[in-house]
Amino acid sequence: LYARIDGGDGRMQAGEYRVPAGTTPVGLLQLLTSGDVIQYQVTFPEGLTAAEALSRLLADPRIDNSGQVNLAELVPGYPNPEGWLFPDTYQFPRGMPVATILTRAHRTMEKVLQEEWVARSAGLPYTSPYEALTMASIIEKETGQPDERPLIAAVFVSRLRLGMRLQTDPTIIYGLGTEFD
């Protein structure tokens, strides 16, 4: 009633709010018109596959998983969605659709990848940002130690320049998929 009298009823925003004890009606109206809803988070660590990310989202009861999600449609023009979700922590309000979070992670990866591609070192044997992304994913799976990454990257670049196969466990494991034991 107060919101109608005040004219705030048209500005109220749906969502889940933390209402402190002792909040006055005026304070409650300010809160409901602020849009300052409770934010939850989900983290996609480095090395997480697209299927694992999707499973993580589908298992969270605070996320709306009622719609169909096709990971292949998320990244049209590429053979699969692997590597296209930026590893980060994403904030979301209760009820956000799975596809919205995946799209945010994908757009972030596109933006970061483009920035990194422009700033890349000269003379690398990659012809596209996607090739560089694939190599970064292989290096990440080969070692979790940040100080080892430059050495491993150098070995892989040398092998590529010589036309050698990479011959690294992550590529074999990825190729075997769910059959890897």
Side-chain angles (χ1 to χ4, degrees), residues 47 55 69-70 77 80 150 158:
S55 292
V69 177
N70 183 338
N80 65 58
S158 294

Side-chain angles (χ1 to χ4, degrees), residues 50-61:
E52 291 167 339
L54 179 59
S55 292
R56 193 171 280 211
L57 295 175
L58 293 175
D60 193 320

Side-chain angles (χ1 to χ4, degrees), residues 9-120:
D9 59 332
R11 298 188 322 266
M12 285 193 280
Q13 299 182 38
E16 185 178 18
Y17 293 87
R18 280 192 181 84
V19 181
T23 300
T24 65
V26 172
L28 181 60
L29 181 59
Q30 289 173 343
L31 181 63
L32 296 176
T33 58
S34 72
D36 188 18
V37 297
I38 296 172
Q39 294 287 313
Y40 297 98
Q41 62 185 31
V42 63
T43 300
F44 297 155
E46 291 177 350
L48 198 70
T49 66
E52 291 167 339
L54 179 59
S55 292
R56 193 171 280 211
L57 295 175
L58 293 175
D60 193 320
R62 301 165 301 187
I63 299 172
D64 176 8
N65 62 11
S66 61
Q68 292 289 83
V69 177
N70 183 338
L71 288 172
E73 291 176 359
L74 184 66
V75 289
Y78 290 93
N80 65 58
E82 293 307 328
W84 280 113
L85 301 176
F86 189 75
D88 202 356
T89 297
Y90 296 92
Q91 305 288 324
F92 63 90
R94 181 180 296 277
M96 179 170 277
V98 167
T100 302
I101 298 169
L102 289 172
T103 299
R104 188 185 312 161
H106 172 62
R107 286 186 181 150
T108 302
M109 178 55 86
E110 285 181 315
K111 179 179 180 277
V112 170
L113 183 58
Q114 188 56 42
E115 291 168 0
E116 293 296 323
W117 181 251
V118 170
R120 73 188 181 282

Side-chain angles (χ1 to χ4, degrees), residues 46-47 82-83 126 130-145 148-149 152-153 155-157 159-160 165-175:
E46 291 177 350
E82 293 307 328
Y126 314 122
Y130 188 66
E131 285 183 4
L133 174 63
T134 300
M135 182 57 71
S137 295
I138 294 169
I139 293 166
E140 181 62 33
K141 283 289 193 180
E142 183 69 22
T143 182
Q145 303 299 317
E148 292 178 357
R149 290 181 192 141
I152 291 170
V155 169
F156 288 162
V157 166
R159 287 180 180 177
L160 288 173
R165 294 174 186 244
L166 294 182
Q167 296 180 319
T168 180
D169 289 345
T171 60
I172 302 302
I173 292 168
Y174 180 78

